[in-house]
Amino acid sequence: MARVRTVRSLGVVGLVLAAAVTAGCSGSSSGPPAASHASSGSGSGSAATAGAAPAPTESNPPGDIPDNQAYVAFRPSGGAFTVKVPEGWARTGQGGTTVFTDKLNRVEIATAAASSAPTVTSVGSEVVPRLRGQVPKFDGPKVSQVNRHAGSAVLLKYQGDSAADPVTGKVVRDAFERYAFFRQGHEVDLTLSGPVNADNVDPWRIVTDSFSWK
């Protein structure tokens, strides 16, 4: 009788173990759905990241002159002309050349005596070769005749590398506009420059249209 009870006990234990094994296998088979759910969670996280707000766009890219920039009249000592330049820019001068700079932009005003007015041909044959030897990576010169409030001028557009920043060593690719004005033996070369991607069409127009003979 005791032996029968032992057999029955073993049978019960066997059933319990079988149930445990079955439950274990069932739990193992549920693994993939759980993994699939985690993958789905990862996907929703990526979607949330992709839908996040992008970094704000700069309102004034490097080199852009602000729309509210003020201008003041500049007239060299004993000079026969005036021209408006951006107010607050740093000023340097040497001989007949005066330079105004701010960040990446530059206005250079050079005066010289001249026996005849510059022409598209003379600028192309004389000025372009000279600048090619002075401006690093000088490229794309285009010479044309334009009209400003002061009258006719010869415009030379080109590109070149700026001087390296003394602190960072950074070099900027610049766009140049050189206007040559002439009257009664006096030539004034007004050169405007700034980064090629800057939108300074209006400021440069203000400066060049403000030029007038006195």
Side-chain angles (χ1 to χ4, degrees):
M1 195 67 180
R3 183 175 180 179
V4 171
R5 289 178 181 174
T6 300
V7 171
R8 287 179 179 175
S9 297
L10 290 175
V12 171
V13 171
L15 290 174
V16 171
L17 289 176
V21 170
T22 301
C25 292
S26 175
S28 175
S29 63
S30 65
S36 174
H37 178 72
S39 175
S40 175
S42 175
S44 62
S46 298
T49 302
T57 301
E58 295 182 23
S59 57
N60 287 322
D64 275 16
I65 298 172
D67 292 338
N68 62 352
Q69 173 67 55
Y71 298 82
V72 294
F74 164 73
R75 182 177 183 179
S77 178
F81 68 91
T82 62
V83 62
K84 288 183 178 180
V85 296
E87 184 178 27
W89 286 23
R91 173 181 170 179
T92 58
Q94 183 175 7
T97 301
T98 304
V99 177
F100 296 88
T101 57
D102 181 70
K103 300 180 178 69
L104 302 176
N105 293 299
R106 189 172 188 267
V107 175
E108 178 182 300
I109 306 165
T111 61
S115 58
S116 60
T119 64
V120 171
T121 300
S122 67
V123 170
S125 62
E126 299 171 15
V127 178
V128 169
R130 184 173 73 245
L131 292 176
R132 194 181 298 278
Q134 297 174 344
V135 180
K137 297 184 180 179
F138 178 90
D139 188 44
K142 296 180 180 179
V143 188
S144 62
Q145 195 88 21
V146 296
N147 289 314
R148 289 296 184 265
H149 286 172
S152 178
V154 178
L155 168 61
L156 168 60
K157 290 185 175 184
Y158 60 95
Q159 291 187 7
D161 282 357
S162 69
D165 185 281
V167 177
T168 65
K170 183 179 180 180
V171 174
V172 177
R173 188 64 176 170
D174 281 340
F176 295 79
E177 294 184 8
R178 178 187 183 275
Y179 294 79
F181 296 92
F182 176 86
R183 192 181 75 165
Q184 299 175 353
H186 297 281
E187 181 175 337
V188 177
D189 298 325
L190 181 58
T191 304
L192 318 168
S193 61
V196 294
N197 293 325
D199 181 12
N200 289 330
V201 174
D202 291 339
W204 289 161
R205 184 78 187 201
I206 291 173
V207 173
T208 56
D209 262 344
S210 73
F211 180 89
S212 63
W213 295 104
K214 297 298 180 183

